[in-house]
Amino acid sequence: MTDLSNPPQPEGERPARQRKPDWIRVKAPVSKGYHETRKLMRDLNLNTVCEEAACPNIGECWTKKHATVMILGDVCTRACAFCNVKTGMPRIVDPMEPENVAVAAGKMGLEHIVITSVDRDDLPDGGASQFVKVIKALRRETPSTTIEILTPDFRGKMRPAVEAICEAGPDVYNHNLETVPRLYPTIRPGARYYASLRLLEEVKSHDPMIFTKSGIMLGLGEQRLEVHQVMDDMRSADVDFMTMGQYLQPTPKHANVEEFVTPKAFDAYGAIARAKGFLQVASTPLTRSSYHAGDDFAQMKAAREAKLAKAKAKA
């Protein structure tokens, strides 16, 4: 079994990488479905966070014809210590991107699609208008596909960006907090924890029926009670869905893995999150923002309907 998340390195060229425990290892993608998905993305000139962020689940997801499209190019204007996406000055926005995303969704027969992006601090609206165009193209071309977006924080232009995107009507609005507040200066220096919380609050304020979602990585040096506080902060912002997954170091230049959190510990965190009232919780070492997103959306929708029915019965 090839460990994609920990490839062998020539001796003497790079620092030694930590050996990953068995529960975090994944097989190399070799299936026909994987190669078909890869070819489709290349043919339509689309980027995916699956590739750019070196996601360990790419083999499983692409085999099932699931891919998370990354719009607004493949170059980010920020340099977070955990992220493998290239940093620099991005190219101009591709005007054909929204249509190509819709074509890809149609060809893959997607029931649920996840759209994310790089940070585009160079654009006047942070790239919000491209999210709007993609949502509208999907609604036009594949009206039965449910849409989940994972946006940046739109630093300095958050409110108009969120308002425009919410008006376009995504089914799920995801924005990740990524880590606990104490670690922001080193792990996510270009962002602010409470600004991200305000974004999630703003989505609910604009449209309470849009599901909100957020996630954090574990293994960066956070303490257990800090994770519990993040849960409470998310619930205060009325976040519906929380994800927790193991941080994996993309390259030796990125932040170190301070701990490989055990599956048992992830189960415990998940149980606490559910007790705090989230409609949906995903908490495993391999959990990522869009991993099993379609199935999770269906479960979250059912959980809300059950909750609303219960409240109505009591009234």
Side-chain angles (χ1 to χ4, degrees):
M1 182 172 67
T2 302
D3 181 3
L4 287 185
S5 54
N6 193 16
Q9 303 293 343
E11 285 189 24
E13 292 189 13
R14 292 185 180 179
R17 301 281 294 281
Q18 289 173 284
R19 181 173 175 79
K20 294 172 177 59
D22 290 341
W23 65 74
I24 205 72
R25 298 188 186 194
V26 292
K27 294 181 179 180
V30 294
S31 71
K32 179 183 177 183
Y34 167 84
H35 291 293
E36 288 175 347
T37 301
R38 186 176 187 279
K39 184 178 185 300
L40 179 62
M41 294 300 116
R42 295 296 80 77
D43 289 347
L44 292 172
N45 195 33
L46 294 175
N47 300 299
T48 69
V49 75
C50 320
E51 295 171 288
E52 301 300 331
C55 180
N57 303 315
I58 189 170
E60 177 185 345
C61 293
W62 282 25
T63 294
K64 297 176 181 177
K65 301 293 183 69
H66 296 167
T68 299
V69 178
M70 188 172 77
I71 63 173
L72 294 165
D74 62 353
V75 179
C76 187
T77 53
R78 302 196 196 167
C80 296
F82 63 87
C83 184
N84 198 42
V85 176
K86 296 189 290 288
T87 300
M89 181 52 69
R91 293 187 291 271
I92 61 170
V93 177
D94 179 3
M96 292 303 299
E97 192 172 56
E99 198 64 35
N100 286 339
V101 171
V103 169
K107 287 190 173 182
M108 288 192 287
L110 295 182
E111 295 179 0
H112 187 83
I113 188 170
V114 183
I115 308 296
T116 188
S117 80
V118 291
D119 279 288
R120 290 298 301 260
D121 297 313
D122 59 309
L123 299 175
D125 67 349
S129 59
Q130 191 76 339
F131 274 99
V132 171
K133 290 172 184 175
V134 169
I135 292 168
K136 288 181 175 179
L138 286 164
R139 294 293 188 216
R140 184 175 63 250
E141 300 298 329
T142 59
S144 63
T145 302
T146 50
I147 302 170
E148 179 172 330
I149 57 166
L150 170 55
T151 76
D153 61 8
F154 301 114
R155 185 173 61 196
K157 41 217 149 191
M158 181 269 286
R159 182 161 292 172
V162 168
E163 286 179 358
I165 292 171
C166 286
E167 284 296 320
D171 296 283
V172 183
Y173 196 124
N174 185 1
H175 174 67
N176 286 328
L177 295 182
E178 305 293 8
T179 188
V180 300
R182 177 176 57 84
L183 297 179
Y184 261 57
T186 53
I187 301 302
R188 203 179 174 215
R192 299 293 179 268
Y193 178 81
Y194 291 102
S196 286
L197 272 178
R198 282 196 297 273
L199 182 151
L200 292 161
E201 289 175 338
E202 189 72 23
V203 174
K204 281 295 187 184
S205 175
H206 194 82
D207 186 347
M209 293 310 291
I210 294 177
F211 289 102
T212 50
K213 180 175 175 180
S214 190
I216 61 171
M217 301 168 288
L218 301 182
L220 283 163
E222 69 288 333
Q223 300 297 312
R224 182 171 54 87
L225 292 180
E226 290 179 308
V227 176
H228 294 174
Q229 185 60 56
V230 170
M231 294 177 187
D232 290 337
D233 291 343
M234 286 187 186
R235 289 303 302 131
S236 294
D238 203 17
V239 171
D240 297 301
F241 185 174
M242 181 180 190
T243 62
M244 289 172 276
Q246 172 69 51
Y247 166 67
L248 296 176
Q249 185 185 30
T251 76
K253 295 179 181 179
H254 290 81
N256 291 327
V257 176
E258 299 298 330
E259 177 189 7
F260 285 109
V261 181
T262 66
K264 185 176 180 181
F266 271 102
D267 288 344
Y269 278 127
I272 292 167
R274 291 182 187 92
K276 289 181 181 292
F278 290 96
L279 286 178
Q280 184 74 359
V281 176
S283 179
T284 72
L286 286 173
T287 291
R288 296 297 182 267
S289 294
S290 53
Y291 189 43
H292 295 161
D295 293 340
D296 285 336
F297 171 73
Q299 292 173 24
M300 181 167 57
K301 187 176 179 182
R304 174 192 274 175
E305 289 170 354
K307 185 177 179 180
L308 291 174
K310 187 176 180 181
K312 187 177 180 180
K314 283 184 176 181

Short mmCIF file of all heavy atoms in Angstrom, two decimals, residues 55-93:
data_model
loop_
_atom_site.label_atom_id
_atom_site.label_comp_id
_atom_site.label_asym_id
_atom_site.label_seq_id
_atom_site.Cartn_x
_atom_site.Cartn_y
_atom_site.Cartn_z
N CYS A 55 -5.28 16.34 -0.75
CA CYS A 55 -6.23 15.66 0.14
C CYS A 55 -5.99 14.15 0.14
O CYS A 55 -5.88 13.53 -0.92
CB CYS A 55 -7.66 15.95 -0.30
SG CYS A 55 -8.89 15.14 0.75
N PRO A 56 -5.95 13.52 1.31
CA PRO A 56 -5.71 12.08 1.37
C PRO A 56 -6.87 11.24 0.85
O PRO A 56 -6.72 10.06 0.58
CB PRO A 56 -5.49 11.82 2.87
CG PRO A 56 -6.22 12.93 3.55
CD PRO A 56 -6.05 14.12 2.66
N ASN A 57 -8.05 11.86 0.68
CA ASN A 57 -9.23 11.12 0.25
C ASN A 57 -9.47 11.17 -1.26
O ASN A 57 -10.49 10.70 -1.74
CB ASN A 57 -10.48 11.66 0.96
CG ASN A 57 -10.35 11.61 2.46
OD1 ASN A 57 -9.92 10.62 3.02
ND2 ASN A 57 -10.71 12.70 3.13
N ILE A 58 -8.53 11.72 -2.00
CA ILE A 58 -8.75 11.95 -3.43
C ILE A 58 -9.05 10.66 -4.19
O ILE A 58 -9.91 10.63 -5.07
CB ILE A 58 -7.56 12.70 -4.07
CG1 ILE A 58 -7.89 13.12 -5.51
CG2 ILE A 58 -6.27 11.88 -4.01
CD1 ILE A 58 -6.86 14.05 -6.12
N GLY A 59 -8.39 9.57 -3.85
CA GLY A 59 -8.63 8.31 -4.54
C GLY A 59 -10.05 7.83 -4.38
O GLY A 59 -10.73 7.46 -5.34
N GLU A 60 -10.54 7.85 -3.13
CA GLU A 60 -11.90 7.41 -2.85
C GLU A 60 -12.93 8.31 -3.52
O GLU A 60 -13.86 7.84 -4.18
CB GLU A 60 -12.15 7.39 -1.34
CG GLU A 60 -13.57 7.00 -0.97
CD GLU A 60 -13.85 7.11 0.52
OE1 GLU A 60 -12.89 7.22 1.32
OE2 GLU A 60 -15.04 7.09 0.89
N CYS A 61 -12.75 9.62 -3.36
CA CYS A 61 -13.76 10.55 -3.87
C CYS A 61 -13.81 10.58 -5.39
O CYS A 61 -14.90 10.56 -5.98
CB CYS A 61 -13.49 11.96 -3.33
SG CYS A 61 -13.72 12.12 -1.54
N TRP A 62 -12.65 10.63 -6.03
CA TRP A 62 -12.65 10.72 -7.49
C TRP A 62 -13.12 9.41 -8.12
O TRP A 62 -13.68 9.42 -9.21
CB TRP A 62 -11.27 11.11 -7.99
CG TRP A 62 -11.01 12.58 -7.83
CD1 TRP A 62 -11.59 13.42 -6.92
CD2 TRP A 62 -10.12 13.38 -8.60
NE1 TRP A 62 -11.11 14.69 -7.07
CE2 TRP A 62 -10.21 14.70 -8.09
CE3 TRP A 62 -9.25 13.11 -9.65
CZ2 TRP A 62 -9.45 15.75 -8.61
CZ3 TRP A 62 -8.50 14.16 -10.17
CH2 TRP A 62 -8.60 15.46 -9.66
N THR A 63 -12.89 8.30 -7.47
CA THR A 63 -13.41 7.02 -7.96
C THR A 63 -14.93 7.07 -8.03
O THR A 63 -15.56 6.53 -8.94
CB THR A 63 -12.96 5.87 -7.04
OG1 THR A 63 -11.54 5.75 -7.14
CG2 THR A 63 -13.61 4.56 -7.44
N LYS A 64 -15.54 7.77 -7.05
CA LYS A 64 -17.01 7.91 -7.01
C LYS A 64 -17.50 9.09 -7.82
O LYS A 64 -18.68 9.45 -7.76
CB LYS A 64 -17.45 8.07 -5.55
CG LYS A 64 -17.15 6.87 -4.67
CD LYS A 64 -17.54 7.16 -3.23
CE LYS A 64 -17.24 5.98 -2.32
NZ LYS A 64 -17.56 6.29 -0.91
N LYS A 65 -16.59 9.74 -8.59
CA LYS A 65 -16.92 10.92 -9.39
C LYS A 65 -17.36 12.09 -8.52
O LYS A 65 -18.27 12.86 -8.86
CB LYS A 65 -18.00 10.59 -10.44
CG LYS A 65 -17.63 9.49 -11.42
CD LYS A 65 -16.49 9.92 -12.33
CE LYS A 65 -16.16 8.85 -13.36
NZ LYS A 65 -17.21 8.67 -14.38
N HIS A 66 -16.73 12.24 -7.36
CA HIS A 66 -16.95 13.39 -6.49
C HIS A 66 -15.68 14.23 -6.51
O HIS A 66 -14.59 13.71 -6.29
CB HIS A 66 -17.23 12.96 -5.05
CG HIS A 66 -18.49 12.18 -4.89
ND1 HIS A 66 -18.80 11.47 -3.74
CD2 HIS A 66 -19.53 11.97 -5.74
CE1 HIS A 66 -19.96 10.87 -3.89
NE2 HIS A 66 -20.43 11.16 -5.09
N ALA A 67 -15.82 15.53 -6.76
CA ALA A 67 -14.65 16.41 -6.75
C ALA A 67 -15.06 17.77 -6.22
O ALA A 67 -16.17 18.24 -6.49
CB ALA A 67 -14.06 16.55 -8.16
N THR A 68 -14.17 18.40 -5.46
CA THR A 68 -14.43 19.74 -4.94
C THR A 68 -13.72 20.74 -5.84
O THR A 68 -12.49 20.80 -5.87
CB THR A 68 -13.94 19.88 -3.49
OG1 THR A 68 -14.65 18.94 -2.67
CG2 THR A 68 -14.19 21.29 -2.97
N VAL A 69 -14.51 21.50 -6.58
CA VAL A 69 -13.94 22.45 -7.55
C VAL A 69 -13.43 23.69 -6.82
O VAL A 69 -14.11 24.24 -5.95
CB VAL A 69 -14.98 22.83 -8.61
CG1 VAL A 69 -14.40 23.84 -9.59
CG2 VAL A 69 -15.46 21.59 -9.35
N MET A 70 -12.23 24.13 -7.20
CA MET A 70 -11.63 25.32 -6.62
C MET A 70 -11.62 26.42 -7.67
O MET A 70 -10.88 26.33 -8.65
CB MET A 70 -10.20 25.03 -6.12
CG MET A 70 -9.59 26.17 -5.32
SD MET A 70 -8.01 25.69 -4.56
CE MET A 70 -6.93 25.77 -6.00
N ILE A 71 -12.47 27.43 -7.48
CA ILE A 71 -12.59 28.49 -8.47
C ILE A 71 -11.61 29.63 -8.18
O ILE A 71 -10.90 29.61 -7.18
CB ILE A 71 -14.04 29.02 -8.53
CG1 ILE A 71 -14.45 29.66 -7.20
CG2 ILE A 71 -15.00 27.91 -8.91
CD1 ILE A 71 -15.81 30.37 -7.25
N LEU A 72 -11.57 30.58 -9.10
CA LEU A 72 -10.73 31.78 -8.97
C LEU A 72 -9.23 31.48 -9.11
O LEU A 72 -8.39 32.21 -8.58
CB LEU A 72 -11.02 32.52 -7.66
CG LEU A 72 -12.43 33.12 -7.56
CD1 LEU A 72 -12.76 33.50 -6.12
CD2 LEU A 72 -12.55 34.33 -8.48
N GLY A 73 -8.91 30.38 -9.80
CA GLY A 73 -7.51 30.06 -10.05
C GLY A 73 -6.91 29.13 -9.03
O GLY A 73 -7.59 28.63 -8.13
N ASP A 74 -5.59 28.93 -9.14
CA ASP A 74 -4.90 28.01 -8.23
C ASP A 74 -3.78 28.70 -7.45
O ASP A 74 -2.91 28.04 -6.89
CB ASP A 74 -4.34 26.81 -8.99
CG ASP A 74 -3.30 27.20 -10.04
OD1 ASP A 74 -3.11 28.42 -10.28
OD2 ASP A 74 -2.68 26.30 -10.63
N VAL A 75 -3.80 30.05 -7.43
CA VAL A 75 -2.79 30.81 -6.70
C VAL A 75 -3.50 31.68 -5.66
O VAL A 75 -4.40 32.45 -5.99
CB VAL A 75 -1.95 31.71 -7.63
CG1 VAL A 75 -0.93 32.50 -6.83
CG2 VAL A 75 -1.25 30.85 -8.68
N CYS A 76 -3.08 31.55 -4.42
CA CYS A 76 -3.72 32.24 -3.29
C CYS A 76 -2.91 33.47 -2.90
O CYS A 76 -1.68 33.48 -2.99
CB CYS A 76 -3.82 31.28 -2.11
SG CYS A 76 -4.77 31.92 -0.71
N THR A 77 -3.61 34.51 -2.45
CA THR A 77 -2.92 35.73 -2.03
C THR A 77 -2.44 35.65 -0.58
O THR A 77 -1.81 36.59 -0.09
CB THR A 77 -3.84 36.96 -2.19
OG1 THR A 77 -5.08 36.72 -1.51
CG2 THR A 77 -4.10 37.24 -3.66
N ARG A 78 -2.73 34.56 0.10
CA ARG A 78 -2.26 34.39 1.49
C ARG A 78 -1.33 33.18 1.58
O ARG A 78 -1.23 32.39 0.65
CB ARG A 78 -3.44 34.24 2.44
CG ARG A 78 -4.38 35.44 2.36
CD ARG A 78 -5.30 35.51 3.53
NE ARG A 78 -6.41 36.42 3.23
CZ ARG A 78 -7.51 36.52 3.95
NH1 ARG A 78 -7.66 35.74 5.02
NH2 ARG A 78 -8.47 37.37 3.62
N ALA A 79 -0.70 33.05 2.75
CA ALA A 79 0.25 31.96 2.96
C ALA A 79 0.02 31.34 4.33
O ALA A 79 0.81 31.55 5.26
CB ALA A 79 1.68 32.47 2.82
N CYS A 80 -1.06 30.59 4.47
CA CYS A 80 -1.34 29.92 5.74
C CYS A 80 -0.34 28.79 5.96
O CYS A 80 0.07 28.12 5.00
CB CYS A 80 -2.76 29.38 5.76
SG CYS A 80 -4.03 30.68 5.67
N ALA A 81 0.02 28.56 7.21
CA ALA A 81 1.08 27.60 7.53
C ALA A 81 0.67 26.15 7.33
O ALA A 81 1.52 25.26 7.36
CB ALA A 81 1.53 27.81 8.98
N PHE A 82 -0.63 25.90 7.10
CA PHE A 82 -1.10 24.52 6.96
C PHE A 82 -1.42 24.15 5.52
O PHE A 82 -1.64 22.99 5.20
CB PHE A 82 -2.36 24.31 7.80
CG PHE A 82 -3.52 25.16 7.38
CD1 PHE A 82 -4.39 24.75 6.38
CD2 PHE A 82 -3.74 26.39 7.97
CE1 PHE A 82 -5.46 25.55 5.98
CE2 PHE A 82 -4.80 27.20 7.59
CZ PHE A 82 -5.66 26.77 6.59
N CYS A 83 -1.47 25.14 4.62
CA CYS A 83 -2.08 24.93 3.31
C CYS A 83 -1.05 24.74 2.20
O CYS A 83 -0.04 25.45 2.13
CB CYS A 83 -2.97 26.13 2.98
SG CYS A 83 -3.88 25.93 1.43
N ASN A 84 -1.34 23.81 1.29
CA ASN A 84 -0.42 23.45 0.22
C ASN A 84 -0.68 24.21 -1.08
O ASN A 84 0.03 24.01 -2.06
CB ASN A 84 -0.52 21.94 -0.05
CG ASN A 84 0.68 21.41 -0.80
OD1 ASN A 84 1.81 21.77 -0.50
ND2 ASN A 84 0.44 20.55 -1.78
N VAL A 85 -1.70 25.07 -1.10
CA VAL A 85 -2.00 25.84 -2.31
C VAL A 85 -0.92 26.89 -2.54
O VAL A 85 -0.42 27.51 -1.60
CB VAL A 85 -3.39 26.51 -2.20
CG1 VAL A 85 -3.67 27.39 -3.41
CG2 VAL A 85 -4.48 25.44 -2.07
N LYS A 86 -0.57 27.11 -3.81
CA LYS A 86 0.49 28.07 -4.15
C LYS A 86 0.11 29.48 -3.69
O LYS A 86 -1.05 29.87 -3.72
CB LYS A 86 0.73 28.07 -5.66
CG LYS A 86 1.26 26.77 -6.22
CD LYS A 86 1.67 26.92 -7.67
CE LYS A 86 0.50 27.10 -8.62
NZ LYS A 86 -0.29 25.87 -8.81
N THR A 87 1.13 30.25 -3.30
CA THR A 87 0.94 31.64 -2.89
C THR A 87 1.62 32.57 -3.88
O THR A 87 2.72 32.28 -4.36
CB THR A 87 1.54 31.88 -1.49
OG1 THR A 87 0.90 31.02 -0.55
CG2 THR A 87 1.34 33.32 -1.05
N GLY A 88 0.98 33.70 -4.20
CA GLY A 88 1.58 34.65 -5.11
C GLY A 88 0.55 35.60 -5.67
O GLY A 88 -0.51 35.82 -5.07
N MET A 89 0.83 36.17 -6.84
CA MET A 89 -0.12 37.05 -7.52
C MET A 89 -0.94 36.23 -8.51
O MET A 89 -0.40 35.72 -9.49
CB MET A 89 0.62 38.17 -8.25
CG MET A 89 -0.31 39.14 -8.97
SD MET A 89 -1.64 39.81 -7.92
CE MET A 89 -0.67 40.86 -6.82
N PRO A 90 -2.24 36.10 -8.27
CA PRO A 90 -3.07 35.25 -9.13
C PRO A 90 -3.25 35.83 -10.53
O PRO A 90 -3.06 37.03 -10.76
CB PRO A 90 -4.41 35.21 -8.39
CG PRO A 90 -4.10 35.68 -7.00
CD PRO A 90 -2.97 36.63 -7.13
N ARG A 91 -3.66 34.95 -11.45
CA ARG A 91 -3.98 35.38 -12.81
C ARG A 91 -5.39 35.97 -12.85
O ARG A 91 -6.13 35.89 -11.87
CB ARG A 91 -3.88 34.18 -13.76
CG ARG A 91 -2.46 33.65 -13.93
CD ARG A 91 -2.42 32.57 -15.01
NE ARG A 91 -3.11 31.36 -14.59
CZ ARG A 91 -2.52 30.37 -13.93
NH1 ARG A 91 -1.25 30.47 -13.59
NH2 ARG A 91 -3.21 29.30 -13.60
N ILE A 92 -5.76 36.53 -13.99
CA ILE A 92 -7.10 37.10 -14.12
C ILE A 92 -8.13 35.99 -13.99
O ILE A 92 -7.87 34.82 -14.28
CB ILE A 92 -7.26 37.84 -15.47
CG1 ILE A 92 -7.06 36.88 -16.65
CG2 ILE A 92 -6.31 39.01 -15.56
CD1 ILE A 92 -7.44 37.49 -17.99
N VAL A 93 -9.31 36.37 -13.57
CA VAL A 93 -10.40 35.41 -13.37
C VAL A 93 -10.89 34.89 -14.72
O VAL A 93 -11.09 35.66 -15.67
CB VAL A 93 -11.56 36.07 -12.60
CG1 VAL A 93 -12.72 35.10 -12.45
CG2 VAL A 93 -11.07 36.53 -11.23
#
